[in-house]
Amino acid sequence: MDSIKNRRTIRKYKQEDIPEALLNELLEDACRASTMGNMQLYSVVVTRSEEMKKKLAPAHFNQPMVTSAPVVLTFCADFNRFSKWCQQRKAVPGYDNSLSFLNAATDALLVTQNFCTLAEERGLGICYLGTTIYNPDQIVDVLQLPRLVMPVATITVGYPDETPEQPDRLPLHGVLHQEVYHDYTEKQIDEIFSYKESLPENKHFVELNHTETLAQIFTDIRYKKADNEAMSKVLAATLARQGFGDE
Amino acid sequence: MDSIKNRRTIRKYKQEDIPEALLNELLEDACRASTMGNMQLYSVVVTRSEEMKKKLAPAHFNQPMVTSAPVVLTFCADFNRFSKWCQQRKAVPGYDNSLSFLNAATDALLVTQNFCTLAEERGLGICYLGTTIYNPDQIVDVLQLPRLVMPVATITVGYPDETPEQPDRLPLHGVLHQEVYHDYTEKQIDEIFSYKESLPENKHFVELNHTETLAQIFTDIRYKKADNEAMSKVLAATLARQGFGDE
């Protein structure tokens, strides 16, 4: 499993298509992931056409991978298919609520990660687009997602045309807790983040952005409170629109 | 990657401990999963003590794996560590909202699935406990999770002491959509679920439960509307208590 250990996100792809048979094989194997009660509460929308990539791009803040990757996959939490089956079998589904959304989102994300692992093992490169849950309303419209279907992850896939450095990670003890959660002291936080802060590329990043600390790049530029709050409202509204809102 | 293709959930484990070095190696490699802005918005709580397993068990409806597995892992969405770092670096974090919860939950679930793949590749067996989000309030208490930490997945791990049948999956075309979501016709639903309904074990399951259809086992016995709605309230209350509620 060196492919997991050595993995890096790939944002530049060769002009080479992914054979449909390969893509389907990877997706079929990915569906072996654990799923709540074997309900398989997900759907995957495959985007290959230029036209659809262009329509999806704004939802992902026009990140170039969306239009340059041969394949874009949108993984969705899906209780529509299962509920339709229930209705056709004299069973009354009760999955229009937030718990069911989180169940289905979990199912979808486990398959997403399985797909990424399998794709990388076969020499493909992937980029995970976190923007999916920032603009879910736009994605619902573009991909024509019906009630009880909600996008939760987008992956761009292609043959790598770059070999980026592997990004840093926090030391394992910084994310591990034995038996109970031991909340962090100031000193521990300093220690856990010290390697990240010491990296030349992060120091350069701070200079470039004219902030005093690396953390301020996150809070003041990249992931701002006001943006998070505005996007939380979009998320809640889209969940309600897709039938996953409570009450 | 035959371990993904051939995987099955393992609920019975040998009386054999998992060496700490192996567990840590698997977790460290699992953290190579994609993460939002490299923030690593997760923590993992390791449960090995009998006492803590007993305390956790009721939250998982006393499923026997919790007390019989050598290791229980609770994967948590965690914005606490990152927010504390921000505060110590003159940066004002804005992650006490539902979007940030879903970002962190996503990070945590990708690591969870990576861990499962790596563990299975090394001959371990895992069981994914969906009950984590049914009783998150109890888990918060038992594991002493602070504000901005929310449990999202629990995995029991050990050396397999059984070789169960591999469960069925829907045909791939049943979960795949090309370019846009093509909503299912009645005929398509019949076709997609026909194999599942034809399986002797599922027919037996229907007999055992005295229902008319397989779907009714899900709606009337296993995943009932009233339960889902009650647990949605617990979920919302726990998210609010942990600081991820909006407003």
Side-chain angles (χ1 to χ4, degrees):
Chain A
M1 296 303 301
D2 285 349
S3 61
I4 289 185
K5 197 169 176 170
N6 300 323
R7 80 165 299 280
R8 49 211 68 199
T9 290
I10 300 297
R11 293 182 174 82
K12 286 187 182 168
Y13 308 102
K14 288 183 183 154
Q15 295 285 328
E16 187 183 337
D17 223 344
I18 302 173
E20 194 178 356
L22 172 60
L23 187 69
N24 286 350
E25 183 191 337
L26 297 173
L27 286 166
E28 185 156 13
D29 289 350
C31 291
R32 281 284 150 206
S34 297
T35 155
M36 169 76 56
N38 200 11
M39 292 189 278
Q40 294 187 251
L41 305 170
Y42 46 78
S43 273
V44 188
V45 184
V46 182
T47 307
R48 287 184 181 267
S49 85
E50 294 301 317
E51 185 200 341
M52 290 302 291
K53 287 178 197 164
K54 273 185 198 152
K55 283 189 191 172
L56 271 180
H60 297 291
F61 300 131
N62 293 305
Q63 292 177 91
M65 298 81 79
V66 179
T67 45
S68 65
V71 170
V72 179
L73 298 175
T74 306
F75 292 81
C76 305
D78 187 337
F79 246 119
N80 168 54
R81 180 179 57 244
F82 195 82
S83 297
K84 281 203 151 74
W85 176 59
C86 291
Q87 282 161 336
Q88 286 180 218
R89 295 295 182 273
K90 305 182 191 171
V92 182
Y95 308 114
D96 49 351
N97 43 63
S98 60
L99 180 86
S100 299
F101 165 67
L102 195 51
N103 273 338
T106 298
D107 264 22
L109 289 166
L110 300 185
V111 170
T112 302
Q113 184 55 33
N114 244 3
F115 172 81
C116 293
T117 299
L118 290 160
E120 288 169 340
E121 186 76 8
R122 294 289 279 269
L124 291 162
I126 69 100
C127 181
Y128 190 105
L129 304 184
T131 36
T132 312
I133 52 173
Y134 293 174
N135 298 305
D137 52 335
Q138 296 177 38
I139 296 172
V140 163
D141 287 338
V142 172
L143 299 182
Q144 302 175 29
L145 305 182
R147 190 170 177 276
L148 298 183
V149 181
M150 179 80 184
V152 292
T154 304
I155 304 292
T156 58
V157 206
Y159 290 96
D161 198 22
E162 62 171 353
T163 315
E165 289 294 305
Q166 205 180 25
D168 65 287
R169 286 291 186 266
L170 300 176
L172 180 65
H173 68 260
V175 305
L176 257 199
H177 300 263
Q178 304 297 331
E179 303 299 343
V180 294
Y181 193 104
H182 298 277
D183 207 354
Y184 302 92
T185 63
E186 263 195 48
K187 209 173 147 186
Q188 285 170 331
I189 291 287
D190 284 343
E191 187 269 323
I192 291 165
F193 286 89
S194 63
Y195 176 68
K196 185 186 285 290
E197 292 174 317
S198 76
L199 292 171
E201 62 265 35
N202 281 336
K203 288 185 172 177
H204 181 63
F205 205 33
V206 171
E207 265 174 47
L208 261 180
N209 284 283
H210 305 289
T211 59
E212 193 183 336
T213 67
L214 182 62
Q216 288 172 351
I217 297 180
F218 290 91
T219 56
D220 300 357
I221 300 171
R222 298 190 67 190
Y223 306 101
K224 293 187 279 189
K225 185 176 176 69
D227 291 348
N228 291 334
E229 288 174 354
M231 291 187 295
S232 290
K233 289 204 177 97
V234 174
L235 178 64
T238 311
L239 282 168
R241 175 183 159 197
Q242 296 308 94
F244 285 121
D246 291 321
E247 282 157 307
Chain B
M1 296 304 302
D2 284 349
S3 61
I4 288 184
K5 197 168 176 171
N6 300 323
R7 83 165 297 279
R8 52 210 66 201
T9 289
I10 300 295
R11 292 182 176 81
K12 287 188 181 167
Y13 309 101
K14 289 183 184 157
Q15 295 286 328
E16 187 183 338
D17 224 343
I18 303 173
E20 195 179 355
L22 172 60
L23 187 70
N24 287 351
E25 184 191 333
L26 297 172
L27 286 166
E28 185 156 14
D29 290 350
C31 290
R32 281 284 150 208
S34 297
T35 154
M36 169 77 54
N38 201 10
M39 291 189 278
Q40 293 187 253
L41 304 169
Y42 46 77
S43 273
V44 188
V45 184
V46 182
T47 307
R48 285 184 182 268
S49 86
E50 294 302 316
E51 186 202 341
M52 289 303 292
K53 285 177 197 164
K54 274 185 197 151
K55 283 190 190 171
L56 270 180
H60 297 291
F61 299 129
N62 292 306
Q63 291 178 90
M65 300 79 80
V66 178
T67 47
S68 66
V71 172
V72 180
L73 299 176
T74 307
F75 292 81
C76 305
D78 188 337
F79 247 120
N80 168 54
R81 182 180 54 245
F82 194 82
S83 297
K84 280 201 152 73
W85 176 59
C86 291
Q87 282 160 337
Q88 286 180 218
R89 296 295 183 272
K90 304 181 192 173
V92 183
Y95 308 114
D96 50 349
N97 44 63
S98 60
L99 180 86
S100 298
F101 164 67
L102 196 51
N103 273 338
T106 299
D107 264 22
L109 289 166
L110 301 185
V111 170
T112 302
Q113 183 55 32
N114 245 4
F115 171 82
C116 294
T117 299
L118 289 161
E120 289 170 338
E121 186 76 8
R122 295 289 279 269
L124 291 162
I126 69 101
C127 181
Y128 190 106
L129 305 184
T131 37
T132 312
I133 52 173
Y134 293 176
N135 300 304
D137 52 336
Q138 296 177 37
I139 297 173
V140 163
D141 287 339
V142 172
L143 300 183
Q144 303 175 27
L145 306 182
R147 189 171 180 276
L148 299 184
V149 181
M150 180 82 184
V152 293
T154 303
I155 305 291
T156 58
V157 206
Y159 291 97
D161 198 23
E162 63 171 352
T163 315
E165 289 292 305
Q166 204 179 27
D168 65 287
R169 288 292 186 263
L170 301 175
L172 181 66
H173 69 260
V175 304
L176 257 199
H177 299 263
Q178 304 298 330
E179 303 298 343
V180 295
Y181 192 105
H182 298 277
D183 207 352
Y184 302 92
T185 63
E186 263 195 49
K187 207 173 149 185
Q188 285 170 333
I189 291 287
D190 285 343
E191 186 269 324
I192 291 166
F193 286 87
S194 64
Y195 176 67
K196 184 185 287 289
E197 292 174 315
S198 76
L199 291 171
E201 62 265 34
N202 281 337
K203 287 186 173 177
H204 181 62
F205 205 33
V206 171
E207 267 175 47
L208 261 180
N209 283 284
H210 306 289
T211 59
E212 192 183 337
T213 68
L214 182 62
Q216 288 172 351
I217 297 180
F218 289 91
T219 57
D220 300 357
I221 299 170
R222 299 189 66 189
Y223 306 102
K224 293 188 278 189
K225 184 177 177 70
D227 291 347
N228 291 333
E229 287 174 355
M231 292 188 295
S232 290
K233 288 202 177 98
V234 174
L235 178 64
T238 311
L239 282 169
R241 176 183 158 198
Q242 295 307 93
F244 284 122
D246 290 321
E247 282 157 308

